[in-house]
Amino acid sequence: MTDRTPTTPSPLTLSSVLVANRGEIARRVFRTCRELGLATVAVHSDADADAPHVREADTAVRLPGDAPADTYLRADLLVKAALDAGADAVHPGYGFLSENAAFATAVLDAGLTWIGPPPAAIEAMASKTRAKELMAAAGVPLLAPVDPATATEADLPLLVKAASGGGGRGMRIVNELSALGGELAAARAEAAAAFGDGEVFVEPYVTGGRHIEVQILADAHGGVWTLGTRDCSLQRRHQKVIEEAPAPGLPDGLRTALHEAAARAARAIGYRGAGTVEFLVTADDRAHFLEMNTRLQVEHPVTEEIYRLDLVALQLSVAEGRPLDAAPPLPRGHAVEARLYAEDPAADWRPGTGPLHRLAVPGAVRLDSGVTDGSVITAHYDPLLAKVIAWAPTRAEAVRRLAHALERARIHGPVTNRDLLVRSLRHPAFTTADGLDTGFYGRHLAELTGHDAARTARTRLAALAAALADAHGRSRFGGFRNLPSQPQLKTYAADGETYAIRYRLVRGALHAEDFPRVRLLAHTADTVVLDVDGLRREFTVARYGDRVHVDTATGGHALTALPRFPDPADRTEPGSLLAPMPGTVVRLAAGLAEGDRVTAGTPLLWLEAMKMEHTVTAPADGTLTSLPVRVGTQVEVGALLAVVGD
């Protein structure tokens, strides 16, 4: 769909672009800049000094410090970096200051080109409450707000949302009216800490709704493109996990209405550049405006794949004053994107940190990543490792291709959500598109993260392969013996289970009571081939200290090799609560003090890491005997947070 009203912009030509961001989006923008012959400038915190986006840029400028507030959120430092490096344009990426009107204004005031919408358009959409007022005036459908002072049981469930920012921060679902006051206070506190603005609002929470968005692109000549729909309904903590384009199963009339509403939204605020208008679509196919993201979206690759466009190149073209074509190209096929996070979905989405030794995704898929082999994942930033995107002529083919590539990916390092992604893509509710709504993980997470007998059997085989590879690596004779001997014992931990592997190798033959139908065909220090019930199975083994990664055609397994004799010094006091990841204590339970009685499951404190808050609760009924941390305390993995005794 196209809308065009003539204007007369001033053309210009760019030569050097600074990306005021990091990681995957910085590398993405740099890739297009190189193709267009533009010089590139990176900025980096101290934690990112050796990051891939820094190495790939023509010039890099240091932002002293590690915390985002001291680096990527410092508009003054970013503008100075652009001027010092000789850049003539700034691309904000997404996140950080990408939707900050004051930053856009500062860039323009410095005589630089802002690769984004006018500051007035950003400001108009910055507050979700103000945005809803503007959209209502423009005839865009939306959910009516609820006054928390007059809310009744009939209004439940409710959703408390931060007026500024996004990413699920400052958002709370309220199912009981008595909890509304507490959730309002918690949302205000989180929003103020995350965005510097504690304003929140309340609206009906739609169960069974789909998160549908429309990609828009507008030029300075009055042209507005609407580039189809995306379904982003699969979310955890209100943050997207799997996205696809076009959104499946939408009636033609609804699809047209969404395009028209998105175009009206763009015209209403004089939009220019790339942006996204987000809607909540109810089960009866009614659309309601959620918000407008005045930037490039994380999930933009699925739109690029079906339209065969480079949205970053179009952003740059629009910023230079060039008009869009009269109409966009026609879409073709289907694209699906999965966000690979360093996190454990089975442990309340706990993020992982540490070195990423290997990331390799096979197959005909697109990989947009901010990391490479050897990158270190820290607690300072979002746990996104990569976006894996598959395109195919049909949805079924694209989904199958993506699941196949993820299953065979080699990911050696922190725990990831890879298995969840594969299982989600193969779940009947997703493959049929009959269960696509924002409650998907609320309904299916337990089964998607559970470990059945088949998974346990595969992990046990992987542990056997790890033990055989280890034996070959430790023996210059390959671990073989000519005479019978006592069984070898290797013990591994994985997925909360312990696997004790007892075996003997006699003249190249495997003898293991727990594996009576397994024959050893070949093995080296990094490859083991087994015959399992007549089926040939190959295992690739990689070791990093006590961590062992075993990759197979049916998925990867991360094992921890356990010592034969545990160190007594590793024991901790019963009832000790240890930090599961590096982070900062951002809140303590109101009035909490040593000596208080607590009950199992009672929140004690909140730890912030990787842009997410994690609640630390009492493990059992008892007395809080120690609370060595305070608000603002920074902790490392394993640091003592509290002790609950009898």
Side-chain angles (χ1 to χ4, degrees):
M1 180 178 296
T2 306
D3 181 82
R4 187 169 294 281
T5 304
T7 60
T8 54
S10 301
L12 54 88
T13 301
L14 303 179
S15 62
S16 178
V17 177
L18 177 140
V19 177
N21 218 294
R22 65 176 299 277
E24 175 266 324
I25 186 56
R27 298 182 78 195
R28 166 71 188 89
V29 176
F30 289 159
R31 184 169 70 242
T32 292
C33 287
R34 286 194 297 271
E35 292 171 355
L36 296 177
L38 293 169
T40 56
V41 181
V43 291
H44 68 87
S45 66
D46 290 337
D48 278 340
D50 194 41
H53 79 276
V54 177
R55 299 196 301 267
E56 292 173 4
D58 297 319
T59 305
V61 181
R62 177 187 176 225
L63 305 174
D66 291 327
D70 299 325
T71 54
Y72 299 107
L73 292 174
R74 285 285 300 274
D76 56 335
L77 296 182
L78 295 169
V79 171
K80 183 178 185 299
L83 295 173
D84 290 347
D88 50 23
V90 172
H91 191 299
Y94 49 69
F96 294 129
L97 295 176
S98 62
E99 295 180 277
N100 186 295
F103 178 47
T105 299
V107 169
L108 294 169
D109 287 347
L112 302 166
T113 297
W114 170 251
I115 304 173
I122 299 176
E123 185 65 32
M125 295 292 105
S127 168
K128 294 181 177 65
T129 51
R130 174 61 177 152
K132 287 177 178 289
E133 294 171 359
L134 290 171
M135 294 301 100
V140 177
L142 46 81
L143 291 169
V146 175
D147 183 350
T150 60
T152 66
E153 295 285 345
D155 295 315
L156 297 174
L158 295 170
L159 183 64
V160 181
K161 298 179 70 175
S164 300
R169 305 297 298 273
M171 189 177 292
R172 298 287 192 279
I173 299 173
V174 180
N175 293 303
E176 298 179 5
L177 204 59
S178 59
L180 180 56
E183 296 293 10
L184 281 168
R188 289 189 184 108
E190 186 177 2
F195 313 121
D197 181 359
E199 181 186 356
V200 299
F201 64 95
V202 180
E203 65 184 17
Y205 178 69
V206 177
T207 57
R210 293 175 64 183
H211 188 123
I212 306 295
E213 57 190 34
V214 177
Q215 174 73 56
I216 62 169
L217 192 69
D219 62 24
H221 302 258
V224 178
W225 283 0
T226 53
L227 295 170
T229 57
R230 296 189 288 250
D231 189 302
C232 307
S233 298
L234 267 64
Q235 304 176 5
R236 51 83 161 129
R237 291 187 169 182
H238 309 292
Q239 294 180 313
K240 300 161 188 173
V241 176
I242 294 177
E243 305 102 344
E244 59 182 305
L250 295 183
D252 290 341
L254 175 58
R255 200 178 298 274
T256 299
L258 290 169
H259 291 172
E260 291 175 346
R264 287 199 301 274
R267 291 197 302 269
I269 59 173
Y271 201 78
R272 188 166 67 246
T276 298
V277 186
E278 301 192 347
F279 299 89
L280 184 66
V281 175
T282 57
D284 57 357
D285 290 331
R286 289 189 298 165
H288 305 278
F289 172 81
L290 282 175
E291 62 184 358
M292 182 175 182
N293 294 126
T294 53
R295 54 170 169 80
L296 197 66
Q297 289 279 85
V298 178
E299 59 271 21
H300 75 273
V302 292
T303 298
E304 291 185 323
E305 291 299 310
I306 66 170
Y307 280 91
R308 293 300 190 264
L309 292 172
D310 184 331
L311 286 173
V312 173
L314 287 167
Q315 283 185 296
L316 293 165
S317 178
V318 166
E320 289 183 316
R322 298 192 187 97
L324 296 170
D325 291 341
L330 294 175
R332 60 177 186 143
H334 201 95
V336 188
E337 171 181 292
R339 300 192 192 187
L340 182 66
Y341 287 108
E343 65 182 13
D344 187 352
D348 195 27
W349 311 99
R350 184 174 66 204
T353 59
L356 178 68
H357 303 288
R358 183 81 188 279
L359 175 60
V361 183
V365 295
R366 168 176 167 178
L367 183 70
D368 284 14
S369 176
V371 297
T372 57
D373 292 357
S375 292
V376 177
I377 312 305
T378 74
H380 296 295
Y381 311 112
D382 186 276
L384 178 69
L385 297 179
K387 303 178 310 192
V388 187
I389 307 101
W391 177 91
T394 68
R395 181 178 188 267
E397 291 173 287
V399 170
R400 183 177 64 190
R401 181 174 293 176
L402 181 56
H404 184 271
L406 284 166
E407 184 175 51
R408 285 157 176 76
R410 296 189 179 185
I411 309 167
H412 302 169
V415 64
T416 74
N417 66 335
R418 184 260 299 276
D419 289 347
L420 174 77
L421 295 174
V422 173
R423 295 181 184 187
S424 298
L425 291 166
R426 290 174 174 166
H427 194 281
F430 182 83
T431 56
T432 62
D434 289 337
L436 290 181
D437 62 65
T438 55
F440 180 88
Y441 285 122
R443 296 189 302 272
H444 302 300
L445 185 61
E447 62 181 288
L448 291 170
T449 57
H451 297 288
D452 55 18
R455 169 72 182 183
T456 300
R458 290 195 297 271
T459 303
R460 180 171 288 279
L461 272 176
L464 172 62
L468 293 171
D470 181 72
H472 192 284
R474 291 176 182 273
S475 171
R476 62 192 179 104
F477 300 110
F480 296 131
R481 293 175 180 267
N482 289 320
L483 300 173
S485 65
Q486 292 297 314
Q488 299 293 311
L489 172 65
K490 288 289 293 185
T491 306
Y492 299 92
D495 304 323
E497 301 289 337
T498 300
Y499 297 87
I501 306 301
R502 294 179 176 85
Y503 69 95
R504 288 185 294 123
L505 288 175
V506 180
R507 298 179 180 178
L510 173 67
H511 297 267
E513 292 183 3
D514 292 336
F515 302 92
R517 305 180 69 174
V518 176
R519 291 191 304 116
L520 176 63
L521 301 182
H523 79 314
T524 67
D526 53 21
T527 303
V528 175
V529 183
L530 301 175
D531 179 302
V532 183
D533 287 332
L535 300 178
R536 184 183 186 277
R537 298 281 305 278
E538 184 169 321
F539 303 79
T540 302
V541 183
R543 289 173 294 275
Y544 310 92
D546 63 352
R547 292 285 286 175
V548 184
H549 289 269
V550 182
D551 294 300
T552 74
T554 57
H557 302 267
L559 312 171
T560 299
L562 301 180
R564 292 185 63 188
F565 305 105
D567 187 345
D570 290 339
R571 297 174 182 170
T572 58
E573 182 180 350
S576 296
L577 297 175
L578 307 181
M581 80 286 290
T584 303
V585 177
V586 292
R587 280 192 291 154
L588 297 176
L592 187 67
E594 293 180 357
D596 289 351
R597 291 289 298 176
V598 296
T599 57
T602 301
L604 303 179
L605 57 92
W606 287 262
L607 190 66
E608 182 178 85
M610 294 182 170
K611 297 170 61 177
M612 297 171 66
E613 280 192 5
H614 303 269
T615 306
V616 177
T617 61
D621 295 351
T623 299
L624 182 65
T625 59
S626 177
L627 185 64
V629 297
R630 298 292 181 265
V631 172
T633 300
Q634 294 186 339
V635 297
E636 297 298 325
V637 174
L640 181 66
L641 300 176
V643 178
V644 177
D646 295 333

